[in-house]
Amino acid sequence: MTMFRSVSLVAAITIGSSSPAIGVQTATREAVSEAFAHAVTDYCMPAVMQGDALADLSAPSDSQGIEQASASRSRGGAPGTVWVISGLGEIVALTMSDPNTCSVDAYGPPVDATFDRIAADIASVHAGFVEIDTGRQADRRQFVRRIEGELDGRHYTVSMRGNEPGARGTMSRFSTLMATVSVSGPDTGEAGAAPVEPDTDAAQAEGKP
């Protein structure tokens, strides 16, 4: 069992050295891990499966709500409105680039343990979903995981990618995580949306740790 250390993250995201922080909040790695998992399973998956906008979803009783991100957090070129999990200083962000694709990004929590949580949550609700890729990369601080499933003639993919601090090619002082939920099949107009990979250099440019 992976244990979460009770370490606090100070979410002070800045754009440039002279810009003020857009969110300051102390959060534990456990809280961010849980919020990231909820963003994937309680927001992105229902949005893609039901064809709903993130703004139209109600938070489950055990999940935190979402709110529209500040203008500074929304910069970065990603299409669609950026939403964040409330109460975490904009550490966990969600966006839908199109009706068939929803992505979540965050920094701070342990990567593999957070992905384990998501895999277990999905398996508990969707029996037909199977984890296809569970392998680590050559750099053991990098993780790529993929879960796929069929439902009502549609093919769903949950792609997850993350880096622990010090991973090859990264600059962040904290772990970075991204998950993308996509669907292909009848009535989607898509052959399959490509998963979005985290760009740690872009995150660094935006002022994320």
Side-chain angles (χ1 to χ4, degrees):
M1 176 182 295
T2 302
M3 300 298 292
F4 291 86
R5 290 183 299 162
S6 181
V7 177
S8 294
L9 303 170
V10 177
I13 307 170
T14 60
I15 305 300
S17 59
S18 61
S19 300
I22 63 175
V24 178
Q25 180 78 31
T26 299
T28 65
R29 300 177 76 207
E30 166 68 14
V32 177
S33 175
E34 183 176 10
F36 185 90
H38 281 312
V40 173
T41 59
D42 294 342
Y43 286 103
C44 274
M45 290 191 72
V48 171
M49 288 180 165
Q50 300 167 15
D52 292 331
L54 289 170
D56 296 333
L57 296 175
S58 298
S61 58
D62 60 345
S63 293
Q64 292 165 282
I66 60 173
E67 58 191 56
Q68 192 166 337
S70 66
S72 295
R73 183 64 167 95
S74 298
R75 296 175 188 171
T81 301
V82 178
W83 299 86
V84 294
I85 298 293
S86 301
L88 292 177
E90 302 196 322
I91 293 177
V92 181
L94 311 82
T95 187
M96 292 191 75
S97 57
D98 59 65
N100 303 321
T101 310
C102 182
S103 298
V104 183
D105 70 80
Y107 64 88
V111 177
D112 212 24
T114 301
F115 292 169
D116 282 343
R117 182 197 297 264
I118 293 170
D121 288 348
I122 292 175
S124 70
V125 177
H126 302 290
F129 281 59
V130 178
E131 187 156 15
I132 304 299
D133 187 352
T134 61
R136 290 188 177 186
Q137 304 305 290
D139 184 336
R140 293 181 63 83
R141 291 164 294 189
Q142 296 178 325
F143 302 86
V144 176
R145 309 221 357 214
R146 188 171 83 255
I147 300 169
E148 297 185 5
E150 301 283 342
L151 190 63
D152 297 329
R154 295 183 174 189
H155 185 84
Y156 295 92
T157 302
V158 181
S159 300
M160 300 179 286
R161 183 179 292 268
N163 300 305
E164 290 289 358
R168 183 174 53 196
T170 66
M171 299 170 59
S172 178
R173 294 178 291 122
F174 296 108
S175 62
T176 56
L177 301 83
M178 176 168 281
T180 301
V181 180
S182 59
V183 60
S184 60
D187 303 322
T188 66
E190 295 287 340
V196 180
E197 298 185 4
D199 187 340
T200 52
D201 289 338
Q204 194 74 14
E206 290 179 24
K208 296 179 190 177

